[in-house]
Amino acid sequence: MLNPRWTSIYLRLGALLLALVFIIIILLASGVSPFEALGHIVSGSIGSTGKIADVLGAWIPLVLVSTGLLITFSAGLWNIGIEGQIMLGAIFTTGTIRLLQDSPVPPALVIVLAILSGMLGGALWAALAGALKTFGGVNEIFGGLGLNFVATAISLWLIFGPWKRPGVASMSGTEPFDAAFRLATFPGFRLSPWALGLAILAVIVVYFLLRGTYFGLRLKAVGKNPKASYLLGIPTWQYMMLAFVLCGALGGLAGAMQVTGVYHRLIPSISSGYGYMGLMIGMLVNFHPFWAAPVALFFAALNIGSIQLPIVLKLDSSLAGVLQGVLVLFVLLAEGVRQKYFNRKAASS
Amino acid sequence: MSTDILLFGLAGVLVNAAPIIFAVMGETISERAGVINLSMNGTILLAAMAGFVVSVETNSLVAGFLVGAIVGALVAAVVAFSSITLKVSQVAVGFVLAITCRDLSYFLGNPYMGDVGPRLGLAPIPFLSELPIVGTLLFRHDIMTYLSFILIFLAWGYIFRTRPGLMLQGIGERPAAAFVRGANVNRLRYLYVIIGGTLIGLAGPMYSLSVKAGWKGTISGLDGIGWIALAITIFGGWNPLRAALGAYLFAVLQWLGLALQPLLPGIPSQVLQVAPFPLMILTLLLVNIGDTEWVARMLASLPESGRHIVERILRALRAKPPASLGVPFESD
């Protein structure tokens, strides 16, 4: 009889293989050599030190969001509103810098305050989704989705209204900040050591929070069975709210990093879909904190690698999203197959 | 003159709401059977793209709509297989499909972006379309809009007035009881999820071949429609008539957003386009808040006369989901 651990590994490898076969079929159907396309993704992501730095740059917001979502997933919540929380983080960060950039406050302090206010913005937006759930009975999926669209509207309104560029407002965003208000980068690269450090710190803190503290344990109890936890004396809704706020703060931090470290202004699509990707990563790693960071790195590499596809092969860069999605789908199905056909044997052996 | 504008505006509302009606009816049927098809947003986009591409290639509208329906059925089949057979979380699979189908539609539709395709023409109904007011409002549309009117009543009549419809309610509310009564719960769930998916799929070509003819990739303006349709399904309380009301209300709001734009030059158009979303949250709040504990406590502290009024309003708004929505069924 198969060892259950190996069954799981075989099934996952099978899922990976099926995802690859699916992508190859899709690529063949669009008349492209699959190996050429995949080759471009590889060379576009790890082909040079500049590309690797870009991958790490994309990893920062992605891993912040993913680790934040592990907290809400632990509490049994689907925080789809994470996209809006990233945007609000970016909006608050931009607002703080705009407010203080002409004041005597030293720039370094302005950046710190801006990042903290970004975390606050994300946390507030998440608290709104949480309040809708706990006090309004609105499922967090729908509340969150609605709030995402509202967040988009707020950022568009700011870009085209009060914060518009002198002259003409455009989709290119608000006026870029002076160099003093940007996070320092590694010389010659677009990667900021500060942002990278914060992201790594967040991964470590969340890992220990979920794995090594009483709080994490109780949070998981709330996620597994809210009613039983409530009867055992865990303040259920307070824990759920806290999960929302912590996740929102990390989402807001991701937004703050995009503003201070990458774009140096507010742009309309500042969240770049990282929130939804974070949700997919959470599902792919089956909510295990340890694997979130490497999987986020893989997803970031796919995203960066596919950027050059439209230029080189006239393919849409959404291929990265298709690859990620198909992979998550097959892994979910493989897990379902394992539960249905192999679990009973594992239990009896 | 201004009444004419109003009349054409309202007629346009009926056309714009037609694809949403199809999607919402499909989702309502699927959820009545106990399965949430969360993939709707991606399904509509993929069906819109596939329907457009096929009708450009074949120059046949029928083929386009057929392909849209097939895409919807196939995605629904994946949802059904994963949630009914494998018992994987419906939310997880649905969400992944929503994202993946969206990206897939952008990827595969890329070469056809901006192409001019066939477009569903108007089919005024003889005599009836000549009637004053009603003629313009109801009888000068394309065939899919007429079908959307019929679908509302068909779905309502089926669910609430027929024997199989009663069984459909049963497998979503109390599958164990339906099973005892001889229903093959899981097979019926497969059937209704796929029927629902077919209707959702038809919404796609209704956009790309009629309401918003063409395929423009990420700027097609279709991303988000599926999520709205999901919210309308809840607002509709899993009742086709109330869901249709929600769809029309949404279309009216969209129209008002466009109509009011010249009057509010300071507000960018993108902001008005998202105006329905805060309202969506608000309606969901109104639909659900009557069930929360603190509202019940607050109500109890109100004076007698006021309490009755508030209670009645909340009860009228409230919508209870099928009891076994999202719960897999096991016969043993």
Side-chain angles (χ1 to χ4, degrees), chain B residues 27 57 63 71 82 98 109 138 207 255 258 260:
Chain B
E27 186 70 26
E57 292 289 348
V71 166
S82 58
L138 293 179
Y207 279 115
W255 171 54
L258 283 177
L260 292 180

Side-chain angles (χ1 to χ4, degrees), chain A residues 2 31 46 76 136 148 174 186 197 212-213 217 222 246-247 268 273 278 281 325 337 348:
Chain A
L2 272 174
I46 50 171
N148 288 348
T174 58
F186 286 112
T213 65
L217 192 67
V222 170
L246 288 174
C247 179
I281 291 170
V337 168
S348 62

Side-chain angles (χ1 to χ4, degrees), chain A residues 30-118:
Chain A
S30 17
V32 196
S33 151
F35 299 100
E36 205 183 341
L38 296 176
H40 278 294
I41 291 184
V42 173
S43 69
S45 53
I46 50 171
S48 67
T49 37
K51 304 270 193 208
I52 293 172
D54 284 351
V55 169
L56 285 172
W59 179 75
I60 291 165
L62 197 52
V63 82
L64 283 170
V65 166
S66 310
T67 46
L69 286 166
L70 289 176
I71 302 175
T72 39
F73 273 131
S74 295
L77 298 164
W78 276 82
N79 185 16
I80 285 186
I82 184 77
E83 283 277 319
Q85 290 147 26
I86 302 172
M87 284 185 236
L88 261 285
I91 289 171
F92 271 55
T93 306
T94 311
T96 306
I97 295 181
R98 287 180 69 92
L99 195 70
L100 298 176
Q101 61 186 355
D102 298 323
S103 72
V105 183
L109 185 61
V110 172
I111 295 180
V112 172
L113 288 173
I115 291 171
L116 287 175
S117 68

Side-chain angles (χ1 to χ4, degrees), chain A residues 152-169:
Chain A
T152 311
I154 295 175
S155 69
L156 285 171
W157 173 68
L158 287 169
I159 289 166
F160 284 88
W163 291 356
K164 76 169 171 238
R165 269 184 164 167
V168 64

